[in-house]
Amino acid sequence: DVMRGLFDPEAAVVDEVVCEITPIDALADRTAFDAMIRYRTGDAEGRFVGIETKYTEPFSPKAYDNDHYRSVTEASGWFVKGAADALVGAATNQLWRGLMLAALTEEATGWRGSYVVVTPDDDVTAKNAVTAAKAQLTQPGRLDLVTVEEIIDAAAGSGQCRTRDLGGSVRAALPAGERRQPVVIWASTTKHLLGACGNRARSRRRSRKTKPL
């Protein structure tokens, strides 16, 4: 239910959830997914979603650029013409690199890929960056933004993840002067939330009782 409702309506079975992963090192840098969900559709098509989580910190302020990035951008089929010049700036540079990693992972594995940014609902900067990056994709649906609040609500209502799996929920407020208003967050991060769901899925597979989502 969580996967279908938030990440892919065609998702049927989650095979693996991994945190802090570089599936392949084809970019030859430190670009990584904060989390990666590998799953299958009802037709047994392998897919994955790479996840970038943002809570209080901004996207990387440095604008990385090199010939290899531009070659990947042109050859992958994920980006429109001129996308490298549009995405190289600091506002979208990290998204550009994450999307390239997703494109290269798809090419290497044969799994259809997508990329999702997870952020609190009031992060206007992240929303604007995602909107700008989507405009540079041949298939804008490859990139999406899901809020922390949406994940919490979906997980709590799905029956697939219990509060004892996730460490309970808390209301947290940032120190005075921070731009964010108080938001409901899990005591553990969204990455651990997804990991808890994934651990349960792996346990079901080991017992040969995998349950469709």
Tab-separated table of all heavy atoms in Angstrom, residues 30-71:
chain	number	residue	atom	x	y	z
A	30	ARG	N	31.167	10.557	-5.489
A	30	ARG	CA	30.554	10.083	-4.245
A	30	ARG	C	29.024	10.144	-4.276
A	30	ARG	O	28.377	10.015	-3.248
A	30	ARG	CB	31.082	10.910	-3.068
A	30	ARG	CG	32.587	10.794	-2.887
A	30	ARG	CD	33.087	11.685	-1.754
A	30	ARG	NE	32.527	11.288	-0.473
A	30	ARG	CZ	32.745	11.937	0.667
A	30	ARG	NH1	33.493	13.028	0.673
A	30	ARG	NH2	32.213	11.510	1.796
A	31	THR	N	28.449	10.316	-5.439
A	31	THR	CA	27.000	10.351	-5.552
A	31	THR	C	26.403	9.015	-5.117
A	31	THR	O	26.871	7.948	-5.513
A	31	THR	CB	26.576	10.656	-6.999
A	31	THR	OG1	27.114	11.922	-7.384
A	31	THR	CG2	25.059	10.701	-7.129
A	32	ALA	N	25.375	9.072	-4.274
A	32	ALA	CA	24.744	7.856	-3.754
A	32	ALA	C	23.260	8.132	-3.514
A	32	ALA	O	22.819	9.283	-3.449
A	32	ALA	CB	25.412	7.416	-2.462
A	33	PHE	N	22.485	7.053	-3.385
A	33	PHE	CA	21.102	7.157	-2.947
A	33	PHE	C	21.075	7.057	-1.424
A	33	PHE	O	21.769	6.219	-0.847
A	33	PHE	CB	20.249	6.028	-3.527
A	33	PHE	CG	20.157	5.993	-5.025
A	33	PHE	CD1	20.214	4.783	-5.706
A	33	PHE	CD2	19.998	7.159	-5.763
A	33	PHE	CE1	20.112	4.726	-7.083
A	33	PHE	CE2	19.899	7.122	-7.150
A	33	PHE	CZ	19.964	5.900	-7.807
A	34	ASP	N	20.273	7.877	-0.767
A	34	ASP	CA	20.080	7.708	0.669
A	34	ASP	C	19.385	6.387	0.955
A	34	ASP	O	19.625	5.756	1.982
A	34	ASP	CB	19.256	8.858	1.235
A	34	ASP	CG	20.066	10.147	1.326
A	34	ASP	OD1	21.303	10.076	1.413
A	34	ASP	OD2	19.459	11.234	1.307
A	35	ALA	N	18.511	5.998	0.064
A	35	ALA	CA	17.853	4.690	0.149
A	35	ALA	C	17.497	4.245	-1.260
A	35	ALA	O	17.359	5.071	-2.164
A	35	ALA	CB	16.605	4.756	1.021
A	36	MET	N	17.383	2.945	-1.428
A	36	MET	CA	16.984	2.387	-2.727
A	36	MET	C	15.997	1.255	-2.470
A	36	MET	O	16.249	0.375	-1.644
A	36	MET	CB	18.202	1.870	-3.487
A	36	MET	CG	17.879	1.222	-4.823
A	36	MET	SD	19.413	0.722	-5.674
A	36	MET	CE	18.734	-0.175	-7.072
A	37	ILE	N	14.865	1.314	-3.151
A	37	ILE	CA	13.855	0.264	-3.053
A	37	ILE	C	13.830	-0.495	-4.372
A	37	ILE	O	13.631	0.106	-5.430
A	37	ILE	CB	12.459	0.845	-2.770
A	37	ILE	CG1	12.485	1.746	-1.534
A	37	ILE	CG2	11.434	-0.281	-2.590
A	37	ILE	CD1	11.186	2.488	-1.305
A	38	ARG	N	14.052	-1.786	-4.302
A	38	ARG	CA	13.970	-2.625	-5.499
A	38	ARG	C	12.701	-3.467	-5.380
A	38	ARG	O	12.459	-4.090	-4.343
A	38	ARG	CB	15.205	-3.519	-5.628
A	38	ARG	CG	15.292	-4.255	-6.960
A	38	ARG	CD	16.687	-4.854	-7.144
A	38	ARG	NE	17.016	-5.813	-6.114
A	38	ARG	CZ	16.649	-7.100	-6.125
A	38	ARG	NH1	15.908	-7.554	-7.130
A	38	ARG	NH2	16.994	-7.907	-5.159
A	39	TYR	N	11.892	-3.473	-6.457
A	39	TYR	CA	10.593	-4.126	-6.373
A	39	TYR	C	10.182	-4.655	-7.735
A	39	TYR	O	10.863	-4.438	-8.740
A	39	TYR	CB	9.546	-3.140	-5.842
A	39	TYR	CG	9.319	-1.923	-6.718
A	39	TYR	CD1	8.254	-1.866	-7.613
A	39	TYR	CD2	10.171	-0.826	-6.662
A	39	TYR	CE1	8.040	-0.761	-8.423
A	39	TYR	CE2	9.964	0.291	-7.460
A	39	TYR	CZ	8.906	0.324	-8.331
A	39	TYR	OH	8.705	1.414	-9.136
A	40	ARG	N	9.045	-5.362	-7.752
A	40	ARG	CA	8.516	-5.906	-8.994
A	40	ARG	C	7.060	-5.490	-9.172
A	40	ARG	O	6.340	-5.290	-8.204
A	40	ARG	CB	8.606	-7.434	-8.980
A	40	ARG	CG	10.000	-7.996	-9.208
A	40	ARG	CD	10.049	-9.478	-8.909
A	40	ARG	NE	10.029	-9.740	-7.474
A	40	ARG	CZ	9.520	-10.845	-6.928
A	40	ARG	NH1	8.945	-11.764	-7.692
A	40	ARG	NH2	9.561	-11.016	-5.619
A	41	THR	N	6.656	-5.386	-10.435
A	41	THR	CA	5.259	-5.113	-10.753
A	41	THR	C	4.486	-6.427	-10.802
A	41	THR	O	5.064	-7.513	-10.660
A	41	THR	CB	5.137	-4.411	-12.108
A	41	THR	OG1	5.555	-5.331	-13.142
A	41	THR	CG2	6.011	-3.165	-12.165
A	42	GLY	N	3.188	-6.318	-11.026
A	42	GLY	CA	2.383	-7.524	-11.151
A	42	GLY	C	2.782	-8.397	-12.320
A	42	GLY	O	2.521	-9.603	-12.319
A	43	ASP	N	3.422	-7.795	-13.323
A	43	ASP	CA	3.912	-8.546	-14.483
A	43	ASP	C	5.348	-9.016	-14.294
A	43	ASP	O	5.994	-9.435	-15.256
A	43	ASP	CB	3.827	-7.688	-15.750
A	43	ASP	CG	2.394	-7.357	-16.128
A	43	ASP	OD1	1.502	-8.185	-15.815
A	43	ASP	OD2	2.162	-6.295	-16.720
A	44	ALA	N	5.870	-8.894	-13.064
A	44	ALA	CA	7.220	-9.333	-12.706
A	44	ALA	C	8.322	-8.471	-13.321
A	44	ALA	O	9.466	-8.893	-13.416
A	44	ALA	CB	7.431	-10.805	-13.063
A	45	GLU	N	7.973	-7.255	-13.753
A	45	GLU	CA	9.001	-6.346	-14.251
A	45	GLU	C	9.796	-5.787	-13.074
A	45	GLU	O	9.226	-5.296	-12.097
A	45	GLU	CB	8.374	-5.188	-15.019
A	45	GLU	CG	9.413	-4.180	-15.527
A	45	GLU	CD	8.793	-2.932	-16.137
A	45	GLU	OE1	7.584	-2.695	-15.931
A	45	GLU	OE2	9.520	-2.173	-16.801
A	46	GLY	N	11.117	-5.870	-13.146
A	46	GLY	CA	11.963	-5.338	-12.089
A	46	GLY	C	12.078	-3.828	-12.182
A	46	GLY	O	12.323	-3.278	-13.262
A	47	ARG	N	11.898	-3.152	-11.057
A	47	ARG	CA	12.020	-1.696	-11.001
A	47	ARG	C	12.739	-1.288	-9.716
A	47	ARG	O	12.880	-2.081	-8.791
A	47	ARG	CB	10.642	-1.017	-11.047
A	47	ARG	CG	9.879	-1.250	-12.341
A	47	ARG	CD	8.563	-0.487	-12.365
A	47	ARG	NE	7.802	-0.760	-13.584
A	47	ARG	CZ	6.627	-0.227	-13.865
A	47	ARG	NH1	6.058	0.631	-13.017
A	47	ARG	NH2	5.990	-0.529	-14.988
A	48	PHE	N	13.197	-0.048	-9.686
A	48	PHE	CA	13.774	0.482	-8.460
A	48	PHE	C	13.457	1.969	-8.357
A	48	PHE	O	13.181	2.640	-9.356
A	48	PHE	CB	15.299	0.270	-8.423
A	48	PHE	CG	16.071	1.172	-9.352
A	48	PHE	CD1	16.512	2.427	-8.933
A	48	PHE	CD2	16.343	0.785	-10.664
A	48	PHE	CE1	17.209	3.268	-9.792
A	48	PHE	CE2	17.044	1.619	-11.527
A	48	PHE	CZ	17.480	2.872	-11.083
A	49	VAL	N	13.505	2.468	-7.132
A	49	VAL	CA	13.412	3.905	-6.904
A	49	VAL	C	14.576	4.310	-6.011
A	49	VAL	O	14.802	3.721	-4.959
A	49	VAL	CB	12.054	4.313	-6.286
A	49	VAL	CG1	11.753	3.545	-5.014
A	49	VAL	CG2	12.019	5.806	-6.015
A	50	GLY	N	15.357	5.278	-6.480
A	50	GLY	CA	16.417	5.853	-5.674
A	50	GLY	C	15.845	7.026	-4.899
A	50	GLY	O	15.067	7.819	-5.446
A	51	ILE	N	16.216	7.149	-3.636
A	51	ILE	CA	15.613	8.169	-2.774
A	51	ILE	C	16.675	9.108	-2.213
A	51	ILE	O	17.723	8.665	-1.727
A	51	ILE	CB	14.844	7.505	-1.614
A	51	ILE	CG1	13.665	6.701	-2.166
A	51	ILE	CG2	14.358	8.549	-0.614
A	51	ILE	CD1	12.927	5.899	-1.133
A	52	GLU	N	16.395	10.395	-2.292
A	52	GLU	CA	17.210	11.437	-1.666
A	52	GLU	C	16.377	12.069	-0.566
A	52	GLU	O	15.272	12.558	-0.816
A	52	GLU	CB	17.605	12.500	-2.694
A	52	GLU	CG	18.335	13.696	-2.105
A	52	GLU	CD	19.687	13.345	-1.516
A	52	GLU	OE1	20.325	12.394	-2.014
A	52	GLU	OE2	20.105	14.021	-0.562
A	53	THR	N	16.866	12.033	0.677
A	53	THR	CA	16.117	12.605	1.792
A	53	THR	C	16.684	13.958	2.170
A	53	THR	O	17.887	14.148	2.260
A	53	THR	CB	16.161	11.674	3.019
A	53	THR	OG1	17.530	11.416	3.365
A	53	THR	CG2	15.459	10.365	2.729
A	54	LYS	N	15.780	14.904	2.404
A	54	LYS	CA	16.154	16.241	2.847
A	54	LYS	C	15.261	16.638	4.009
A	54	LYS	O	14.034	16.625	3.883
A	54	LYS	CB	15.993	17.267	1.709
A	54	LYS	CG	16.985	17.093	0.575
A	54	LYS	CD	18.401	17.346	1.047
A	54	LYS	CE	19.404	17.108	-0.070
A	54	LYS	NZ	20.788	17.162	0.446
A	55	TYR	N	15.858	17.002	5.143
A	55	TYR	CA	15.080	17.387	6.321
A	55	TYR	C	15.295	18.866	6.651
A	55	TYR	O	14.390	19.670	6.601
A	55	TYR	CB	15.437	16.494	7.511
A	55	TYR	CG	15.169	15.052	7.202
A	55	TYR	CD1	16.201	14.169	6.914
A	55	TYR	CD2	13.856	14.586	7.131
A	55	TYR	CE1	15.942	12.847	6.585
A	55	TYR	CE2	13.590	13.266	6.790
A	55	TYR	CZ	14.642	12.398	6.526
A	55	TYR	OH	14.385	11.103	6.186
A	56	THR	N	16.525	19.220	6.980
A	56	THR	CA	16.820	20.628	7.272
A	56	THR	C	17.925	21.166	6.382
A	56	THR	O	17.999	22.358	6.137
A	56	THR	CB	17.245	20.811	8.738
A	56	THR	OG1	18.421	20.020	8.992
A	56	THR	CG2	16.130	20.394	9.672
A	57	GLU	N	18.793	20.273	5.895
A	57	GLU	CA	19.919	20.743	5.100
A	57	GLU	C	19.498	21.011	3.656
A	57	GLU	O	18.570	20.367	3.153
A	57	GLU	CB	21.070	19.722	5.133
A	57	GLU	CG	20.924	18.540	4.195
A	57	GLU	CD	19.987	17.465	4.697
A	57	GLU	OE1	19.290	17.682	5.711
A	57	GLU	OE2	19.929	16.393	4.060
A	58	PRO	N	20.153	21.948	2.984
A	58	PRO	CA	19.823	22.224	1.583
A	58	PRO	C	20.503	21.203	0.672
A	58	PRO	O	21.288	20.364	1.126
A	58	PRO	CB	20.407	23.621	1.369
A	58	PRO	CG	21.608	23.640	2.272
A	58	PRO	CD	21.184	22.870	3.504
A	59	PHE	N	20.210	21.293	-0.607
A	59	PHE	CA	20.961	20.510	-1.572
A	59	PHE	C	22.412	20.987	-1.564
A	59	PHE	O	22.713	22.110	-1.155
A	59	PHE	CB	20.373	20.666	-2.984
A	59	PHE	CG	19.063	19.955	-3.168
A	59	PHE	CD1	17.887	20.677	-3.319
A	59	PHE	CD2	19.000	18.579	-3.195
A	59	PHE	CE1	16.670	20.031	-3.481
A	59	PHE	CE2	17.796	17.916	-3.363
A	59	PHE	CZ	16.622	18.647	-3.500
A	60	SER	N	23.305	20.135	-2.023
A	60	SER	CA	24.722	20.489	-2.062
A	60	SER	C	24.920	21.819	-2.785
A	60	SER	O	24.425	22.003	-3.902
A	60	SER	CB	25.511	19.386	-2.783
A	60	SER	OG	26.847	19.774	-2.982
A	61	PRO	N	25.629	22.780	-2.159
A	61	PRO	CA	25.768	24.107	-2.770
A	61	PRO	C	26.805	24.182	-3.888
A	61	PRO	O	26.866	25.175	-4.609
A	61	PRO	CB	26.194	24.981	-1.589
A	61	PRO	CG	26.942	24.050	-0.699
A	61	PRO	CD	26.226	22.723	-0.812
A	62	LYS	N	27.608	23.132	-4.033
A	62	LYS	CA	28.664	23.168	-5.048
A	62	LYS	C	28.135	22.675	-6.395
A	62	LYS	O	27.417	21.683	-6.464
A	62	LYS	CB	29.860	22.323	-4.617
A	62	LYS	CG	31.035	22.415	-5.582
A	62	LYS	CD	32.264	21.706	-5.032
A	62	LYS	CE	33.437	21.797	-6.005
A	62	LYS	NZ	34.652	21.141	-5.468
A	63	ALA	N	28.509	23.354	-7.448
A	63	ALA	CA	28.095	22.969	-8.796
A	63	ALA	C	29.171	22.099	-9.433
A	63	ALA	O	30.167	22.601	-9.963
A	63	ALA	CB	27.835	24.204	-9.647
A	64	TYR	N	28.991	20.801	-9.354
A	64	TYR	CA	29.942	19.861	-9.951
A	64	TYR	C	29.650	19.720	-11.447
A	64	TYR	O	28.495	19.662	-11.864
A	64	TYR	CB	29.829	18.494	-9.283
A	64	TYR	CG	30.209	18.491	-7.820
A	64	TYR	CD1	29.259	18.719	-6.829
A	64	TYR	CD2	31.526	18.249	-7.423
A	64	TYR	CE1	29.599	18.710	-5.487
A	64	TYR	CE2	31.875	18.239	-6.078
A	64	TYR	CZ	30.910	18.469	-5.120
A	64	TYR	OH	31.249	18.462	-3.785
A	65	ASP	N	30.711	19.617	-12.229
A	65	ASP	CA	30.536	19.494	-13.682
A	65	ASP	C	31.796	18.886	-14.279
A	65	ASP	O	32.916	19.188	-13.844
A	65	ASP	CB	30.280	20.874	-14.297
A	65	ASP	CG	29.868	20.808	-15.757
A	65	ASP	OD1	29.489	19.714	-16.214
A	65	ASP	OD2	29.932	21.850	-16.429
A	66	ASN	N	31.633	18.001	-15.226
A	66	ASN	CA	32.774	17.462	-15.968
A	66	ASN	C	32.268	16.846	-17.274
A	66	ASN	O	31.059	16.714	-17.494
A	66	ASN	CB	33.573	16.444	-15.136
A	66	ASN	CG	32.748	15.258	-14.672
A	66	ASN	OD1	32.049	14.635	-15.469
A	66	ASN	ND2	32.820	14.942	-13.378
A	67	ASP	N	33.193	16.464	-18.124
A	67	ASP	CA	32.824	15.915	-19.432
A	67	ASP	C	32.059	14.607	-19.301
A	67	ASP	O	31.166	14.318	-20.108
A	67	ASP	CB	34.088	15.691	-20.274
A	67	ASP	CG	34.745	16.987	-20.719
A	67	ASP	OD1	34.056	18.038	-20.694
A	67	ASP	OD2	35.936	16.958	-21.083
A	68	HIS	N	32.398	13.819	-18.288
A	68	HIS	CA	31.718	12.533	-18.110
A	68	HIS	C	30.241	12.750	-17.786
A	68	HIS	O	29.371	12.067	-18.344
A	68	HIS	CB	32.395	11.730	-16.999
A	68	HIS	CG	31.773	10.385	-16.763
A	68	HIS	ND1	31.537	9.475	-17.777
A	68	HIS	CD2	31.320	9.791	-15.618
A	68	HIS	CE1	30.979	8.384	-17.281
A	68	HIS	NE2	30.838	8.552	-15.976
A	69	TYR	N	29.944	13.685	-16.881
A	69	TYR	CA	28.549	13.993	-16.569
A	69	TYR	C	27.777	14.367	-17.826
A	69	TYR	O	26.647	13.920	-18.053
A	69	TYR	CB	28.463	15.167	-15.594
A	69	TYR	CG	28.922	14.905	-14.183
A	69	TYR	CD1	28.994	15.952	-13.269
A	69	TYR	CD2	29.270	13.628	-13.741
A	69	TYR	CE1	29.401	15.742	-11.962
A	69	TYR	CE2	29.681	13.413	-12.439
A	69	TYR	CZ	29.748	14.469	-11.547
A	69	TYR	OH	30.151	14.275	-10.252
A	70	ARG	N	28.382	15.188	-18.650
A	70	ARG	CA	27.687	15.650	-19.846
A	70	ARG	C	27.495	14.525	-20.853
A	70	ARG	O	26.474	14.442	-21.540
A	70	ARG	CB	28.442	16.830	-20.454
A	70	ARG	CG	28.295	18.074	-19.564
A	70	ARG	CD	29.115	19.254	-19.995
A	70	ARG	NE	28.815	20.395	-19.126
A	70	ARG	CZ	27.896	21.322	-19.355
A	70	ARG	NH1	27.181	21.269	-20.469
A	70	ARG	NH2	27.688	22.301	-18.500
A	71	SER	N	28.477	13.629	-20.922
A	71	SER	CA	28.346	12.476	-21.806
A	71	SER	C	27.208	11.564	-21.352
A	71	SER	O	26.404	11.098	-22.162
A	71	SER	CB	29.668	11.699	-21.850
A	71	SER	OG	29.540	10.538	-22.643
